[in-house]
């Protein structure tokens, strides 16, 4: 991140945080059950840093963090109001919104994290190189769902690629055993896991071949947004501040996570690597000089296009129905 952009990012998040805290200062603590997308990985560390450093409490929020069991499950919890805010894959959220679920994306966190990982001794450098190879992924995994779109976007015959569909989460084992030449993955998750297991890897980003998607961000229940707009603004501002602090000191963020979840101590190096691979993905080309969490219609257009053109989403809807920036400060 450039010095100029870093300074802009810091100042806008700080202003948003102060504004949100000021708006909430006269209120009682607002309880928020916040649900992560999956079991713990390094991208989650800034949320725990915010807890440890008291940022949520200073903003009059009583936040509890729970692990998730996949974005589809978490989306249901948010839609039902069990957890008013979730850290959810935006493609999953878009499908739910198109079907009428009462949720809204309120802040983008990471974008364009999907990649294809191969073995360093036989690297796969582009989608065209996948022809004749064995690729493993769970049938319901988000990266697996997008993989056919990657092939189609580059006119790679899908019948030229042999696909193995293990249970969700088992593709790493097939890769490590040498039974798969490649796996579609998230740059901020599986790379560190495979490296920790001793694998030497190579990878390319799907976004380099036209598959541009916003990935995880904050999605909230619409009733919660109507009833607690100041709390939502405060939550986003605090989260932005936490990611800024994590960028300045990734080790402190990971240590905060481990303090809250001591069983993760054995994974410290892996978590740190995941967080470091997360940080470059916090902006898109369209949001370089925007506040933390900002979403652009062009990025939602790209995300929806992949869903409709390749992944079976039945209807394209106006992208404004997916998201709102109204709770983001520093605009």
């Amino acid at each position: 991140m450039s010095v100029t952009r870093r300074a802009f990012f810091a100042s806008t998040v700080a202003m948003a945080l102060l504004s949100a805290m000021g708006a909430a200062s006269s209120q009682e603590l607002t309880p928020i059950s916040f649900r992560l997308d999956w079991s713990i990985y390094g991208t989650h560390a800034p949320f725990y840093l915010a807890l440890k450093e008291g940022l949520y409490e200073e903003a009059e929020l009583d936040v509890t963090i729970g692990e998730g069991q996949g974005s589809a499950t978490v989306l249901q919890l948010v839609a039902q109001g069990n957890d008013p805010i979730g850290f959810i894959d935006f493609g999953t959220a878009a499908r739910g919104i198109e079907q009428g679920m009462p949720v809204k994306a309120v802040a983008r966190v990471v974008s364009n994290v999907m990649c294809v990982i191969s073995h360093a001794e036989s690297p796969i450098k582009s989608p065209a190189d996948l022809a004749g190879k064995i690729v493993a992924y769970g049938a319901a995994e988000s990266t697996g769902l997008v993989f056919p779109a990657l092939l189609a976007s580059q006119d790679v015959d899908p019948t030229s690629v042999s696909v193995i569909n293990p249970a969700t989460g088992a593709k790493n084992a097939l890769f490590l055993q040498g039974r798969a030449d490649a796996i579609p993955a998230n740059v901020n998750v599986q790379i560190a896991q495979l490296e920790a297991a001793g694998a030497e890897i190579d990878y390319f980003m799907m976004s380099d071949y036209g598959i541009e998607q916003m990935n995880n961000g904050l999605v909230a229940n619409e009733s919660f947004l109507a009833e607690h707009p100041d709390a939502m603004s405060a939550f986003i501002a605090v989260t932005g501040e936490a990611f800024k602090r994590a960028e300045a000191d990734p080790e402190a963020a990971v240590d905060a996570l481990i303090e809250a979840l001591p069983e993760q101590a054995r994974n410290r190096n892996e978590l740190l690597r995941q967080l470091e691979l997360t940080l470059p993905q916090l902006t898109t080309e369209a949001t370089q000089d925007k506040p933390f969490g900002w979403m652009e219609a062009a990025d939602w257009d790209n995300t929806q296009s992949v869903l409709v053109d390749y992944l079976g989403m039945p209807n394209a809807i106006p992208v404004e129905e997916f998201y709102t920036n109204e709770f983001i400060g520093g605009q």
Side-chain angles (χ1 to χ4, degrees):
M1 183 180 292
S2 69
V3 174
T4 300
R5 190 170 131 241
R6 189 187 303 274
F8 181 89
F9 179 81
S11 64
T12 54
V13 170
M15 288 188 293
L17 181 61
L18 291 171
S19 175
M21 288 179 178
S25 61
S26 62
Q27 301 176 12
E28 297 295 324
L29 290 176
T30 300
I32 294 177
S33 174
F34 175 54
R35 185 69 56 179
L36 301 173
D37 56 322
W38 197 248
S39 53
I40 293 298
Y41 57 94
T43 306
H44 299 149
F47 299 114
Y48 288 93
L49 182 65
L51 273 184
K52 177 182 178 181
E53 298 194 351
L55 299 181
Y56 290 124
E57 187 174 1
E58 288 174 13
E60 305 293 341
L61 305 176
D62 179 15
V63 175
T64 57
I65 302 175
E67 294 183 57
Q69 295 181 325
S71 287
T73 301
V74 176
L75 184 66
Q76 290 283 350
L77 294 173
V78 173
Q80 294 163 2
N82 301 69
D83 298 299
I85 309 172
F87 183 61
I88 297 173
D89 169 68
F90 273 7
T92 302
R95 287 172 178 265
I97 293 167
E98 187 271 333
Q99 295 168 7
M101 295 179 76
V103 299
K104 190 79 75 173
V106 293
R108 176 194 45 75
V109 179
V110 292
S111 299
N112 295 324
V113 299
M114 292 188 180
C115 65
V116 173
I117 300 174
S118 58
H119 299 279
E121 65 268 23
S122 53
I124 294 171
K125 296 292 189 181
S126 72
D129 295 338
L130 289 163
K133 300 299 193 297
I134 300 172
V135 179
Y137 55 84
E141 294 179 6
S142 59
T143 55
L145 293 172
V146 172
F147 184 73
L150 175 69
L151 298 181
S153 72
Q154 301 300 306
D155 296 321
V156 177
D157 182 357
T159 65
S160 70
V161 181
S162 299
V163 174
I164 304 173
N165 288 137
T168 299
K171 64 186 179 185
N172 282 13
L174 292 179
F175 183 86
L176 290 167
Q177 293 163 7
R179 295 168 58 192
D181 299 307
I183 58 171
N186 288 322
V187 71
N188 58 327
V189 181
Q190 283 85 11
I191 285 176
Q193 293 172 345
L194 294 170
E195 289 175 342
E200 295 184 4
I201 63 169
D202 199 273
Y203 66 93
F204 67 82
M205 303 300 295
M206 292 192 190
S207 58
D208 290 340
Y209 296 92
I211 303 301
E212 296 188 11
Q213 287 191 298
M214 292 183 292
N215 299 110
N216 280 63
L218 304 181
V219 176
N221 178 279
E222 288 190 334
S223 293
F224 177 82
L225 295 178
E227 295 167 9
H228 302 286
D230 291 340
M232 188 70 257
S233 294
F235 189 92
I236 293 172
V238 166
T239 300
E241 173 66 15
F243 271 87
K244 184 190 77 171
R245 295 186 186 191
E247 184 175 34
D249 192 350
E251 293 196 16
V254 170
D255 288 341
L257 186 157
I258 291 171
E259 184 174 319
L261 303 169
E263 67 275 15
Q264 291 293 331
R266 66 184 185 278
N267 299 322
R268 187 178 187 278
N269 290 340
E270 181 179 316
L271 293 167
L272 184 60
R273 174 73 165 143
Q274 289 172 329
L275 177 57
E276 290 172 342
L277 288 167
T278 296
L279 296 172
Q281 311 306 131
L282 295 179
T283 60
T284 68
E285 186 176 347
T287 60
Q288 291 290 319
D289 296 321
K290 298 292 186 180
F292 175 88
W294 187 265
M295 295 165 284
E296 288 287 344
D299 290 331
W300 272 108
D301 278 329
N302 289 336
T303 299
Q304 179 168 237
S305 293
V306 171
L307 295 171
V308 173
D309 294 347
Y310 302 114
L311 302 180
M313 183 167 150
N315 300 300
I317 64 176
V319 294
E320 290 75 19
E321 295 184 27
F322 294 130
Y323 76 102
T324 177
N325 287 319
E326 67 179 290
F327 303 101
I328 298 174
Q331 300 180 35

